[in-house]
Amino acid sequence: MTIQILDLTVDDLRFPTSRELDGSDAMNEAPDYSVAYVTLKTDHPDLVGHGITFTIGRGNEICAAAVEALRSRVVGLRLEKIAGDMAGFWRHMTSDSQLRWLGPEKGVIHLATAAIVNAVWDLWAKAEKKPLWKLVADFTPEQFVNCIDFRYLTDVLTPEEALSMLTRLKESQADRLSILERDGYPAYTTSAGWLGYSDERLRELCRQRLSEGWEVFKIKVGRDLEDDRRRCRIIREEIGPDRRLLTDANQVWDVSTAIEWMRQLAEFDPWMIEEPTSPDDILGYAKIAKALHPIRVAGGEHCANRIMFKQFLEANAMQVCQIDACRLGGVNEVLAVLLMAAKYDVPVCPHAGGVGLCEYVQHLSIIDYLCVSGSLENRMAEHAGTCHEHFLDPIQIQNGHYLLPQTPGYSITMHEKSIENARFPEGKYWSDPNS
Amino acid sequence: MTIQILDLTVDDLRFPTSRELDGSDAMNEAPDYSVAYVTLKTDHPDLVGHGITFTIGRGNEICAAAVEALRSRVVGLRLEKIAGDMAGFWRHMTSDSQLRWLGPEKGVIHLATAAIVNAVWDLWAKAEKKPLWKLVADFTPEQFVNCIDFRYLTDVLTPEEALSMLTRLKESQADRLSILERDGYPAYTTSAGWLGYSDERLRELCRQRLSEGWEVFKIKVGRDLEDDRRRCRIIREEIGPDRRLLTDANQVWDVSTAIEWMRQLAEFDPWMIEEPTSPDDILGYAKIAKALHPIRVAGGEHCANRIMFKQFLEANAMQVCQIDACRLGGVNEVLAVLLMAAKYDVPVCPHAGGVGLCEYVQHLSIIDYLCVSGSLENRMAEHAGTCHEHFLDPIQIQNGHYLLPQTPGYSITMHEKSIENARFPEGKYWSDPNS
């Protein structure tokens, strides 16, 4: 069957999460989780691709405008042509000679690229009647490598090296799949530790999450040291000395402040500190990691592209690699980062939460385990309990693990009713003050 | 006199430069030089601030949308309050808790920040009845430091250190001013070497530029090696063995290609290679610089922010620092980079050309010499001869030097007629095929 992409539409959808202070941290006071929601229509009325990029509210319209600017680069293409040269398609998407001035490959234009690229992958997986993770897991190593644009990466990873890494793991893939089918993919929860929550709510949420089977907890830090110490103490009291406590500063510190502050929290045995300073500061991360060892430095949620990840990994600046499914330019670029992380033996623990990110990263972590790293050691995908009700095929969590998604596609198609309500500014969430 | 900013408007202005292949290089085939043109209206009808961010065509509307999104952060403010805490104002502009997700401090949202911040500086300089360079040159070292947000910089440069650097140079400033008043600020020309030009045009333009007094020439390379060798030979024949030849690859190479390719051009004695690979690749630049020494590596035109420059400088990855007046978030962030470059003794040679960039960077280079580096050694501001006719106070070039601008403001106010013609898509340049 041949499939042609006939049209692209984009919706500015926003969810009023700031009303509950979900997602509040030291840098992001009150996010309204939002997506630019891309729909690719084809010449098969029942075959539609969906993709998102994620933002936290204001500015979502700018991402939608950038999607529109990229529209002509995808409409009219045939899926089989895209699928036959996925790296070429990705290069095409990121190489408009005028639009690349806006990045290149970073910020709004790259977020918009992700929405479209992710929609193409959704379309492809649906056409193959497979969940995305299985589409990729069924690739030969050659097909996998053919999805990646290696431009700017070859001083650290060549296509030949990638091929040999993938080939080495291929024959044991079935064993790993059985493990995932039995247990799911390990996750950790962020839903308890938002800065905007009271101590009582923090304690109560810890207990609730423990009872649900969660083993790893994350807490937001960085606004006030005494406050952080009190909250770390509460969470340690609740989770005990052996469970992992993750900390996340959301970029609020300079290098020396990060080092001093975290030394003050070291007694609570944090396993990692996430985003201690600017997400662009590779050398700064490296200084912090060296000073704080054995506390790991984690980052990636705001890491602009594969070239930045390449350096973070090469410079030993990042001991936990937190890819984001929409900050990177879609699945193709994520695959490149998975390979580089595996080469440097750095665990990939994707950033998630918000709206749709959990739905996305479950696939990416599964691909990482089945095809790329072959390991679950120190790997876990982030989980937050927000906005899953809007998806046709929402994540399924059991005992602190993501269960393998089974529905064809990339799990991001939304309910019509959710789309209607969230449309900004005319949807009910925004036009009706009582919604 | 108190001044309040009452309104902000933004125009999407585009100039059809692609019709002449001005500005063509290995990555940018056919740019249409464009600006998002910001106008700040005040409660004084004759006092208006103008600012731009620069793009090369498509996507300019996205920058304009981002300016609109930032509108509420500046409208209503009083100039004296901004001027009294310029660093605080800049932090305010870059810290919208939702909009910063789109960067942070990079890509479209940062380009838009630059347009507004530059407009505020223009307004301030006009209110003080001084050209921008003089407004800044008249600052005390304390006032200068108070314009800079040192967040994320203090591991490399503290406010105290900056203050002592500036204080050291202050008393000799008048001597340097006399030199600039006599000679102007040194420039080099890019107008001869665009890739889209024929050999004949290249040769003819070289001769013309030599007769105008230019001493330093830049040529675009990277599309085809034999072509580059032929064009380098032509330009060397024309300019002789002693004048400086600069080369610019506009990001087309991977690290190893950059090294091999430039070794093939070494016989033409290039003084520097600009943008040899991804503008995000600090470690890659460092590898190239090490391998190609004594050919300098230059970059900055696409360097996203002060945190990236910090690392390029610290890692000895950049021997020529090419700030961009609009890629960085306006004058405040430029001042921070000037200071870091001076600390590492790396010459600042601003990127210019396009539309308005020459008008901007002349001020920045003058400030660098008068206040920050105190040196002209290996310093030169880029020049290209495009689009100057659109400005009320265009650059004045004499004998390969920028003459000191004298009109109050930041030299970016455009003729009404130019604005009308360039408005996209309704202006004459775009609606009238014969324009």
Side-chain angles (χ1 to χ4, degrees):
Chain A
M1 134 170 136
T2 85
I3 295 158
Q4 188 179 20
I5 297 169
L6 293 186
D7 196 13
L8 174 156
T9 57
V10 56
D11 290 296
D12 176 354
L13 307 182
R14 308 190 191 189
F15 301 87
T17 47
S18 65
R19 296 175 196 165
E20 296 291 323
L21 290 185
D22 294 336
S24 55
D25 61 48
M27 194 64 97
N28 309 299
E29 285 158 29
D32 287 314
Y33 292 150
S34 302
V35 295
Y37 184 73
V38 167
T39 302
L40 298 177
K41 290 182 186 148
T42 72
D43 48 359
H44 297 253
D46 53 339
L47 189 58
V48 172
H50 290 116
I52 64 160
T53 202
F54 170 72
T55 78
I56 59 175
R58 284 185 294 281
N60 201 49
E61 77 284 6
I62 308 173
C63 289
V67 168
E68 289 288 357
L70 287 163
R71 189 177 187 285
S72 66
R73 296 191 84 75
V74 66
V75 171
L77 297 185
R78 290 190 175 280
L79 181 60
E80 52 275 23
K81 189 160 175 271
I82 294 175
D85 180 16
M86 247 296 179
F89 166 71
W90 196 82
R91 174 78 69 97
H92 170 74
M93 286 303 300
T94 54
S95 295
D96 180 282
S97 72
Q98 296 187 350
L99 289 176
R100 75 184 298 287
W101 186 270
L102 308 184
E105 300 180 44
K106 61 178 70 65
V108 166
I109 197 72
H110 213 47
L111 290 163
T113 299
I116 298 176
V117 169
N118 285 333
V120 166
W121 280 93
D122 181 63
L123 182 66
W124 188 8
K126 283 173 176 165
E128 299 287 334
K129 300 191 169 49
K130 295 177 181 179
L132 179 93
W133 66 264
K134 186 159 166 51
L135 174 74
V136 176
D138 286 349
F139 285 163
T140 64
E142 289 77 10
Q143 288 173 316
F144 192 112
V145 166
N146 284 342
C147 294
I148 296 170
D149 184 355
F150 283 87
R151 178 177 249 185
Y152 303 138
L153 300 185
T154 54
D155 57 318
V156 154
L157 184 76
T158 63
E160 298 70 32
E161 201 176 354
L163 194 62
S164 115
M165 290 168 66
L166 293 164
T167 306
R168 217 161 32 229
L169 277 178
K170 190 68 185 175
E171 71 174 300
S172 53
Q173 185 178 301
D175 303 338
R176 288 189 296 281
L177 182 56
S178 325
I179 293 172
L180 292 184
E181 283 170 340
R182 189 191 61 201
D183 301 335
Y185 191 94
Y188 74 89
T189 180
T190 307
S191 297
W194 300 116
L195 268 187
Y197 291 178
S198 69
D199 289 357
E200 292 66 36
R201 191 158 181 203
L202 172 63
R203 203 179 280 279
E204 180 194 320
L205 282 168
C206 281
R207 290 180 188 177
Q208 195 181 323
R209 296 290 175 262
L210 280 168
S211 75
E212 290 162 4
W214 294 98
E215 288 292 322
V216 181
F217 292 73
K218 187 157 86 179
I219 189 166
K220 301 288 182 172
V221 297
R223 202 182 278 164
D224 178 272
L225 182 58
E226 277 320 301
D227 193 50
D228 286 351
R229 291 175 56 84
R230 193 185 71 255
R231 288 154 42 79
C232 281
R233 190 171 298 116
I234 289 172
I235 205 165
R236 258 290 163 236
E237 281 169 16
E238 293 301 324
I239 71 174
D242 297 329
R243 289 191 183 84
R244 275 189 194 157
L245 171 61
L246 317 181
T247 56
D248 183 357
N250 291 88
Q251 317 167 24
V252 290
W253 299 317
D254 278 26
V255 170
S256 63
T257 317
I259 294 169
E260 289 154 24
W261 198 296
M262 283 310 296
R263 284 186 174 146
Q264 297 292 316
L265 298 182
E267 66 176 285
F268 304 106
D269 190 22
W271 188 76
M272 72 178 203
I273 174 64
E274 178 175 341
E275 291 203 310
T277 188
S278 163
D280 301 331
D281 200 349
I282 299 152
L283 303 182
Y285 267 53
K287 292 174 196 173
I288 295 166
K290 201 171 164 199
L292 291 180
H293 178 83
I295 302 173
R296 292 160 180 80
V297 172
E301 173 179 338
H302 287 80
C303 188
N305 55 43
R306 71 201 178 287
I307 304 140
M308 295 299 291
F309 272 110
K310 178 182 77 163
Q311 298 171 82
F312 273 105
L313 292 163
E314 191 184 9
N316 197 19
M318 173 188 281
Q319 289 77 49
V320 181
C321 175
Q322 301 177 305
I323 53 166
D324 182 288
C326 303
R327 180 78 61 183
L328 287 168
V331 176
N332 308 56
E333 197 172 23
V334 168
L335 298 181
V337 176
L338 296 183
L339 279 160
M340 291 190 289
K343 171 167 174 168
Y344 286 101
D345 200 20
V346 170
V348 173
C349 300
H351 166 247
V355 48
L357 296 181
C358 296
E359 277 66 22
Y360 269 169
V361 303
Q362 57 179 344
H363 291 271
L364 304 175
S365 276
I366 292 164
I367 292 167
D368 180 56
Y369 179 51
L370 292 180
C371 309
V372 188
S373 73
S375 170
L376 292 177
E377 194 185 351
N378 290 336
R379 269 88 175 167
M380 46 201 169
E382 187 168 11
H383 169 267
T386 45
C387 296
H388 303 295
E389 66 276 20
H390 304 299
F391 294 93
L392 256 59
D393 177 32
I395 56 162
Q396 303 291 332
I397 294 283
Q398 198 172 300
N399 208 25
H401 287 66
Y402 281 97
L403 300 188
L404 264 68
Q406 303 295 344
T407 309
Y410 198 6
S411 305
I412 212 69
T413 302
M414 284 190 173
H415 291 293
E416 277 306 317
K417 191 77 194 164
S418 294
I419 295 172
E420 244 174 69
N421 290 341
R423 224 174 239 131
F424 186 85
E426 67 272 29
K428 197 176 77 174
Y429 292 147
W430 304 101
S431 59
D432 174 2
N434 301 317
S435 71
Chain B
M1 133 171 138
T2 84
I3 295 158
Q4 188 178 21
I5 298 169
L6 292 187
D7 196 12
L8 175 156
T9 58
V10 58
D11 289 297
D12 176 355
L13 306 182
R14 308 191 193 188
F15 302 87
T17 47
S18 65
R19 296 177 195 165
E20 296 291 322
L21 289 185
D22 294 336
S24 56
D25 61 47
M27 194 64 98
N28 309 299
E29 284 158 30
D32 287 314
Y33 293 149
S34 303
V35 296
Y37 185 73
V38 167
T39 302
L40 298 176
K41 290 182 187 147
T42 72
D43 48 359
H44 298 253
D46 53 341
L47 190 60
V48 172
H50 290 115
I52 65 160
T53 203
F54 170 71
T55 79
I56 59 174
R58 284 186 293 281
N60 201 49
E61 77 283 7
I62 307 173
C63 289
V67 168
E68 289 288 359
L70 287 163
R71 191 178 186 286
S72 65
R73 298 191 83 74
V74 66
V75 171
L77 297 187
R78 291 189 173 279
L79 181 60
E80 53 274 24
K81 187 157 175 273
I82 295 174
D85 180 17
M86 246 295 177
F89 167 70
W90 196 82
R91 174 79 69 96
H92 171 72
M93 286 303 300
T94 55
S95 295
D96 180 282
S97 72
Q98 296 187 350
L99 290 176
R100 77 184 297 286
W101 185 269
L102 308 184
E105 301 181 43
K106 64 178 66 67
V108 166
I109 197 72
H110 213 47
L111 289 164
T113 298
I116 298 175
V117 168
N118 285 333
V120 166
W121 280 93
D122 181 63
L123 182 66
W124 188 8
K126 284 173 176 165
E128 300 287 335
K129 300 189 171 46
K130 293 178 183 179
L132 179 92
W133 66 265
K134 187 159 166 52
L135 174 74
V136 176
D138 287 348
F139 284 164
T140 63
E142 289 76 10
Q143 286 173 315
F144 192 113
V145 166
N146 284 342
C147 294
I148 296 169
D149 184 355
F150 283 87
R151 179 178 247 184
Y152 302 138
L153 299 185
T154 55
D155 56 318
V156 154
L157 183 75
T158 62
E160 297 71 31
E161 202 176 353
L163 194 61
S164 114
M165 290 168 66
L166 294 164
T167 305
R168 220 164 27 231
L169 277 179
K170 189 69 185 175
E171 69 175 300
S172 54
Q173 186 178 300
D175 304 336
R176 288 189 295 281
L177 182 55
S178 323
I179 293 172
L180 292 184
E181 283 170 340
R182 190 191 62 201
D183 302 337
Y185 191 94
Y188 74 89
T189 179
T190 306
S191 297
W194 300 118
L195 268 187
Y197 290 177
S198 69
D199 289 357
E200 292 66 35
R201 191 162 181 199
L202 172 60
R203 203 178 281 279
E204 178 196 320
L205 283 168
C206 281
R207 291 181 188 177
Q208 193 182 323
R209 297 289 174 265
L210 280 168
S211 74
E212 291 162 5
W214 293 98
E215 289 290 322
V216 181
F217 291 73
K218 188 158 87 178
I219 189 165
K220 301 288 182 172
V221 297
R223 201 182 278 165
D224 177 89
L225 183 57
E226 278 320 301
D227 194 49
D228 287 352
R229 292 176 55 85
R230 194 185 69 255
R231 289 154 42 77
C232 281
R233 192 170 297 118
I234 291 171
I235 204 165
R236 260 288 164 236
E237 282 169 15
E238 294 300 324
I239 70 173
D242 297 330
R243 289 191 183 83
R244 274 187 195 157
L245 172 60
L246 317 181
T247 56
D248 183 356
N250 291 88
Q251 317 167 24
V252 290
W253 298 318
D254 278 28
V255 170
S256 64
T257 316
I259 294 169
E260 289 155 25
W261 198 295
M262 284 310 295
R263 284 186 175 147
Q264 296 292 316
L265 298 182
E267 64 175 288
F268 304 105
D269 190 21
W271 188 76
M272 71 177 206
I273 174 63
E274 179 175 340
E275 290 202 312
T277 189
S278 163
D280 301 331
D281 200 349
I282 299 152
L283 303 182
Y285 268 52
K287 291 174 197 172
I288 294 166
K290 201 171 165 200
L292 290 180
H293 179 83
I295 302 173
R296 294 160 177 80
V297 172
E301 173 179 337
H302 288 81
C303 187
N305 56 43
R306 70 200 180 287
I307 303 139
M308 295 299 290
F309 273 108
K310 176 182 79 163
Q311 298 171 83
F312 273 104
L313 292 164
E314 190 184 10
N316 197 19
M318 172 187 283
Q319 287 78 47
V320 181
C321 175
Q322 301 178 302
I323 52 166
D324 183 288
C326 303
R327 181 78 60 184
L328 288 167
V331 176
N332 310 55
E333 195 172 23
V334 168
L335 298 181
V337 176
L338 296 183
L339 280 160
M340 290 190 289
K343 171 166 174 168
Y344 285 101
D345 200 20
V346 171
V348 172
C349 301
H351 167 247
V355 49
L357 296 181
C358 296
E359 276 67 23
Y360 268 170
V361 303
Q362 56 180 344
H363 292 270
L364 304 174
S365 276
I366 293 165
I367 292 166
D368 179 55
Y369 179 50
L370 292 180
C371 309
V372 187
S373 73
S375 171
L376 292 178
E377 196 187 349
N378 291 334
R379 269 85 175 171
M380 45 202 170
E382 188 168 10
H383 169 267
T386 45
C387 297
H388 303 296
E389 66 275 20
H390 303 299
F391 295 93
L392 256 59
D393 177 31
I395 55 161
Q396 302 293 331
I397 294 284
Q398 198 173 298
N399 208 25
H401 287 65
Y402 281 97
L403 300 188
L404 264 68
Q406 302 296 342
T407 309
Y410 198 6
S411 305
I412 212 69
T413 302
M414 284 190 176
H415 291 293
E416 276 307 317
K417 191 76 194 166
S418 294
I419 295 172
E420 245 174 65
N421 290 340
R423 223 171 241 133
F424 186 86
E426 67 273 28
K428 198 176 75 173
Y429 292 147
W430 304 102
S431 59
D432 174 1
N434 301 317
S435 70

